[in-house]
Amino acid sequence: MNDQFYRMKRMPPYVIAEVNAMRHAARLAGQDIIDLGMGNPDQPPPQHVIDKLCEVAAKPDAHGYSQSKGIPGLRRAQAGYYARRFGVELDPETEVVVTMGSKEGLSSLATAIIAPGDVVLAPNPSYPIHTFGFIIAGATIRSVPVTPDEHYWESLERAMNYTVPRPSVLVVSYPSNPTSEIVDLAFYERLVAWAKENQVWVVSDLAYSELYFDGNPTPSIMQVPGAKDVAIEFTSMSKTYSMAGWRMGFAVGNRQLIAALTRVKSYLDYGAFTPIQAAACAALNGPQDIIETNRALYQKRRDVMVEAFGRAGWEIPPPPASMFAWAPLPPALKAMGSLEFSKQLLTQAQVAVAPGVGYGENGEGYVRIAMVENEQRLRQAARNIRRYLQSLGVNSSAA
């Protein structure tokens, strides 16, 4: 019956769910699966954040409906984060709204600003909500590349010149999920100028703002003078503070977009649980040790994984940011395709990864590897992969 519903017809089967179902079945069968598929942080939040959650939850008056747009202290705390990190001043009343994670925020924004038939420019490959949040709202997606080179700008110009109706929204996300690519401030400066010239809203997803490596901080589009005229930016506490399940995120920027998102949210939700919002304040306003700790943790895991997988016979480019590696299939197995390779890696090597085709057709030939297991488990994954590759006659050095 589902195929009778309009929105269901616009949503193809979720490819990644197929591998997830296989992983679940393997674990039920007692197999030790090394799960590098989902970007689910394995570290806890800071203790003072958990303490604040418990403290506020113990108060009798903390269990009623909260504020959909976020309690004032939390919006001020997010404005403080942007001031410290990016040197950007935000009005907590009109330029900040709290969301239940960046994923919910993006989908609610799409509901607020998209009319059926509107054209949205979105990267391919991309995190699914960057396309399907807008598809569910009735938009048509035109794909643009992820890699921020001259081909990217040429694709934007072709889209504006040859698409009817003209695109009204552009989605960007750097560090990219799934490719981990990054941009510099000059890219955003050019993007803001382009958006103003073409009257296009820019939706920036900065969920991995703090997971950058090699001493190269990621910029925010909001650092560009005039960005607030055309852009809205989403951030999340999921990766920065290891609070994924808490569902706590933010949107900041253009007042018109923030007002539209805030209004739609007021119809859809009563806001996050107040103790969670209070704990999020403690995270943003308190000691920031966890940010550097997590960054160092993921960089070390990256280095271990790249070295161990390389010795196992699978060369992986070291990601410059995020908690993911975007890995081309071993050349000898390229014809297998990313979905079949992911299935075989799960069944033959007991290692779960996400097939690149699940992030768009341009993701074919790649898999996304989440660095969410410890170094010992990553080395074990490399040993399993080495045996699998050797069974297929793919050369590898001693691991």
Side-chain angles (χ1 to χ4, degrees):
M1 296 287 287
N2 278 354
D3 59 0
Q4 298 178 10
F5 300 131
Y6 165 72
R7 286 179 176 80
M8 296 303 101
K9 294 177 183 177
R10 305 196 71 205
M11 299 174 67
Y14 193 34
V15 172
I16 298 171
E18 193 173 342
V19 178
N20 289 344
M22 290 177 62
R23 179 194 63 210
H24 180 66
R27 282 186 162 165
L28 285 178
Q31 295 184 37
D32 179 21
I33 302 298
I34 301 173
D35 189 1
L36 308 179
M38 187 175 181
N40 199 9
D42 63 324
Q43 300 298 300
Q47 187 59 47
H48 71 274
V49 175
I50 297 172
D51 291 344
K52 178 58 71 172
L53 172 71
C54 297
E55 173 193 329
V56 179
K59 297 180 178 180
D61 61 352
H63 300 274
Y65 296 123
S66 191
Q67 294 188 34
S68 174
K69 69 177 182 178
I71 60 176
L74 183 52
R75 284 181 278 118
R76 287 194 298 269
Q78 176 67 353
Y81 164 73
Y82 263 80
R84 292 192 310 269
R85 173 68 165 81
F86 302 113
V88 173
E89 297 299 322
L90 295 168
D91 181 346
E93 287 300 313
T94 60
E95 295 175 337
V96 180
V97 62
V98 177
T99 63
M100 293 181 175
S102 56
K103 189 173 183 179
E104 176 274 334
L106 279 157
S107 59
S108 291
L109 177 70
T111 300
I113 68 174
I114 291 298
D118 282 357
V119 176
V120 172
L121 303 177
N124 187 340
S126 72
Y127 186 57
I129 198 66
H130 296 157
T131 53
F132 287 102
F134 292 94
I135 288 172
I136 292 169
T140 297
I141 300 296
R142 175 158 178 157
S143 294
V144 295
V146 179
T147 303
D149 55 14
E150 281 306 311
H151 178 55
Y152 177 87
W153 299 104
E154 293 165 3
S155 296
L156 292 188
E157 290 305 319
R158 282 198 303 273
M160 299 310 299
N161 291 334
Y162 299 109
T163 307
V164 178
R166 280 168 64 86
S168 57
V169 174
L170 168 67
V171 180
V172 295
S173 180
Y174 299 102
S176 167
N177 179 4
T179 72
S180 79
E181 291 172 271
I182 57 176
V183 296
D184 57 16
L185 194 57
F187 172 87
Y188 285 134
E189 289 169 346
R190 185 173 177 181
L191 190 65
V192 168
W194 176 88
K196 289 185 175 184
E197 179 183 347
N198 289 279
Q199 297 183 309
V200 172
W201 294 116
V202 177
V203 178
S204 169
D205 185 357
L206 192 61
Y208 297 89
S209 59
E210 299 303 337
L211 288 186
Y212 58 82
F213 307 136
D214 307 312
N216 187 22
T218 54
S220 161
I221 193 172
M222 292 301 157
Q223 292 175 258
V224 178
K228 290 181 188 178
D229 297 336
V230 293
I232 186 171
E233 186 162 74
F234 291 89
T235 56
S236 166
M237 303 191 75
S238 296
K239 311 307 189 295
T240 304
Y241 296 98
S242 298
M243 295 169 64
W246 298 50
R247 307 313 307 136
M248 183 55 56
F250 304 90
V252 307
N254 179 268
R255 295 186 179 200
Q256 186 178 348
L257 294 177
I258 294 294
L261 171 56
T262 302
R263 186 172 180 184
V264 162
K265 274 178 51 62
S266 71
Y267 285 93
L268 296 178
D269 70 66
Y270 285 110
F273 186 39
T274 299
I276 290 180
Q277 295 197 51
C281 290
L284 288 166
N285 293 334
Q288 301 298 298
D289 320 40
I290 187 175
I291 295 179
E292 182 57 42
T293 299
N294 278 349
R295 188 182 301 133
L297 174 78
Y298 286 111
Q299 181 163 333
K300 185 67 189 309
R301 289 179 178 180
R302 177 199 68 171
D303 295 343
V304 167
M305 182 188 67
V306 168
E307 187 270 337
F309 281 34
R311 286 194 289 117
W314 188 9
E315 297 295 333
I316 296 176
S322 85
M323 64 196 306
F324 304 113
W326 186 237
L329 270 58
L333 305 181
K334 188 174 182 181
M336 186 182 291
S338 64
L339 180 57
E340 181 60 27
F341 177 74
S342 298
K343 290 179 178 180
Q344 289 210 15
L345 213 58
L346 182 65
T347 58
Q348 304 302 314
Q350 289 73 55
V351 176
V353 297
V357 71
Y359 301 94
E361 65 271 20
N362 291 346
E364 184 53 271
Y366 294 82
V367 295
R368 194 194 74 174
I369 305 173
M371 299 178 287
V372 291
E373 294 266 17
N374 63 40
E375 294 168 28
Q376 180 181 346
R377 296 280 281 174
L378 289 171
R379 290 191 176 97
Q380 179 62 54
R383 289 192 291 270
N384 293 2
I385 290 167
R386 180 196 61 190
R387 286 194 292 268
Y388 164 63
L389 294 178
Q390 287 178 337
S391 74
L392 298 176
V394 178
N395 293 328
S396 64
S397 57

